[in-house]
Amino acid sequence: MNRNEKVLIAGGSSGMGLALARSLLADGAAVVIAGRSAARLAQARAALADVGDARTIAADITREDDVVRLFEECGAVDHIVSTAADIGGAYELLPALDLAAARKVVDSKFIGPLLLAKHGKARLAPAGSIVFTSGIAAYRPAPRGSVVAGVNGALESLAYALAVELAPIRVNVVSPGWVDTPIWQQVAGDEARAKLEAMAQKLPVGRIGQAADIADGIRFLMRNGFVTGSVLHLDGGHRLV
Ligand SMILES: NC(=O)c1ccc[n+]([C@@H]2O[C@H](COP(=O)([O-])OP(=O)(O)OC[C@H]3O[C@@H](n4cnc5c(N)ncnc54)[C@H](OP(=O)(O)O)[C@@H]3O)[C@@H](O)[C@H]2O)c1
């Protein structure tokens, strides 16, 4: 990785985004992490201090004014990554589905990335890239997961279109399977550990993913100048079983 590179990670205060921040800082890259909670950002910055100094900017990517300010504060970047998601309340069967919770999924996983592309384009060099995060729900849908499944699929279609519209800027998507991150507390609460362990037994690789597995894939999408409009599946073989 070029030590002069600068990467903005929306969702960088937790899970996959935090793991990506760690690996990029270790490379010597300049890393800006964004999320809604200033406290969570401060915690993340402290957790990363052993590898480098991440810059933090509090911003809600579902709000256009926040995204405009985010780029004003951040300035030029080489890569924009979004791992942001607010999905906890939307895992429900249709009769119980709360539309406000459903809209949070749409806003955080579709509108937010759209706004990052809209306002980030002018900040990116022609050799730059954008990476979004979809997920296995689009490929192995399950009851209660309809909204997340639909939004993940829509996000991938958005990336295909933006890869054409924003060219030569490259636009790609990483699609994780089940990965051990704090999001599982939102999604499954006390049952999270048992669900993850049961899934590990089913997967061809015999384990669930770690945040660093996904960070590795995002780094590939950022670095490989010949990949655009692609979805990289990092799911331990989940689509096969
Ligand atoms: N973990 C899995 O098993 C799994 C599986 C498939 C797909 N995915 C997808 O992978 C991505 C990363 O998930 P993760 O497991 O790393 O999640 P995570 O640990 O919960 O991290 C999510 C991050 O997004 C930020 N965020 C949420 N809403 C935001 C908003 N409106 N504006 C700015 N930042 C926002 C959060 O910070 P604040 O709350 O402070 O804003 C946090 O830093 C998500 O798109 C998720 O849907 C995860």
Side-chain angles (χ1 to χ4, degrees), residues 79-130:
H79 304 282
I80 298 169
V81 177
S82 184
T83 58
D86 185 355
I87 64 174
Y91 277 96
E92 288 294 351
L93 298 175
L94 285 193
L97 182 65
D98 171 23
L99 272 193
R103 287 200 171 101
K104 282 187 182 176
V105 183
V106 178
D107 283 350
S108 61
K109 291 205 62 162
F110 186 86
I111 299 294
L114 180 67
L115 289 173
L116 288 171
K118 177 180 175 184
H119 295 286
K121 179 189 182 306
R123 309 284 177 171
L124 281 166
S129 82
I130 299 175

Side-chain angles (χ1 to χ4, degrees), residues 13-14 16 36-37 40 60-61 83-84 109 133 177 179 181 184:
S13 61
S14 179
M16 300 170 197
R36 293 166 301 180
S37 161
R40 210 171 179 191
D60 180 343
I61 62 163
T83 58
K109 291 205 62 162
T133 311
V179 179
T181 72
W184 278 93

Side-chain angles (χ1 to χ4, degrees), residues 10 16 81-85 109 113 131-135 151-152 155-156 172-176 214 218:
M16 300 170 197
V81 177
S82 184
T83 58
K109 291 205 62 162
V131 181
F132 298 146
T133 311
S134 62
V151 173
N152 283 341
L155 180 64
E156 292 177 2
N172 292 293
V173 180
V174 65
S175 176
I214 311 307
I218 296 173

